Amino acid sequence: MEKMQKLQALESKTNSFIVSTKQDEFAIETIKDAIAAAKSGTFGVGAILVDTETGEVKYRGKNKVFSHSRSDLHAEMDVLNVFEDENGAESRELIKQYTLYTSLESCPMCLCRIITAGVQEVYHIADDFGGGMVHLFDQLPPVWQDIAKSRTYKKANCSEELSAIAEEVFLLTVALDDELKR
């Protein structure tokens, strides 16, 4: 099956998934953005900012590394850029009212940006043992660990099927790594 066909199959699975937890809803939303990113020719990762009080998805982001000629536009960076551009000087305080969900465990660059931005809770849908930093949190420099010590960074309490879909969407785009190495 070709990549686009596989993405369409994963999109159908995601859209027809029967939600059993609140975090399943957010997992689905990140996966939708991840699929959109993958269809655009970049890494399949999506991220959302959810109003912690209302549970409403307020901001969306997706990986745009190859579509905007910016190597820093990972999904988490994209959603935080949108948030900070909209909220300006108030961003640092307002971000405390939001929870960030990402379809894939954050890389070192994104996790440090998330910490710096002041996000209090971050949940990833799929683990990334090859490039994620949450499972290696204790290897961050002490200053980053100290800033983030009272915050939450962990895998979402969502369906394993959704975790598998999020991982598969990303893995379909891993061949892009070969292009970067050339």
Side-chain angles (χ1 to χ4, degrees):
M1 209 188 283
E2 178 188 306
K3 181 171 109 173
M4 283 301 180
Q5 291 172 317
K6 288 180 181 178
L7 286 170
Q8 288 172 333
L10 292 169
E11 187 172 37
S12 292
K13 258 177 134 170
T14 301
N15 290 335
S16 63
F17 188 84
I18 298 170
V19 172
S20 62
T21 72
K22 187 69 173 172
Q23 289 193 329
D24 279 352
E25 291 177 32
F26 303 136
I28 289 168
E29 294 304 313
T30 67
I31 293 168
K32 287 178 182 178
D33 290 326
I35 291 169
K39 285 182 175 181
S40 75
T42 188
F43 295 107
V45 182
I48 58 174
L49 279 171
V50 175
D51 183 307
T52 305
E53 197 171 305
T54 68
E56 183 181 352
V57 176
K58 293 286 199 168
Y59 298 90
R60 306 182 83 87
K62 63 183 179 204
N63 192 294
K64 296 179 180 175
V65 169
F66 298 106
S67 58
H68 286 77
S69 301
R70 294 265 313 269
S71 59
D72 65 334
L73 285 181
H74 293 194
E76 299 94 314
M77 299 288 201
D78 184 40
V79 75
L80 287 170
N81 287 347
V82 171
F83 178 83
E84 290 172 347
D85 287 347
E86 185 174 307
N87 293 289
E90 311 244 331
S91 295
R92 188 95 171 110
E93 192 57 36
L94 291 175
I95 197 70
K96 295 174 184 173
Q97 300 170 24
Y98 293 88
T99 300
L100 190 146
Y101 289 85
T102 182
S103 62
L104 188 69
E105 181 180 351
S106 298
C107 73
M109 176 179 72
C110 290
L111 186 59
C112 288
R113 167 77 186 277
I114 289 165
I115 292 168
T116 302
V119 181
Q120 302 296 299
E121 287 185 83
V122 181
Y123 298 97
H124 60 271
I125 309 312
D127 292 318
D128 182 6
F129 292 111
M133 195 67 208
V134 173
H135 71 279
L136 298 172
F137 188 84
D138 62 341
Q139 293 182 27
L140 281 171
V143 67
W144 292 105
Q145 290 181 44
D146 190 52
I147 294 168
K149 67 181 168 197
S150 63
R151 301 178 189 171
T152 302
Y153 307 95
K154 63 183 182 179
K155 187 168 184 182
N157 181 22
C158 66
S159 160
E160 283 303 315
E161 185 177 354
L162 290 172
S163 292
I165 292 170
E167 181 178 29
E168 193 171 347
V169 169
F170 175 70
L171 291 176
L172 283 171
T173 60
V174 167
L176 293 169
D177 278 339
D178 293 333
E179 291 176 31
L180 289 173
K181 290 174 187 170
R182 289 185 216 146

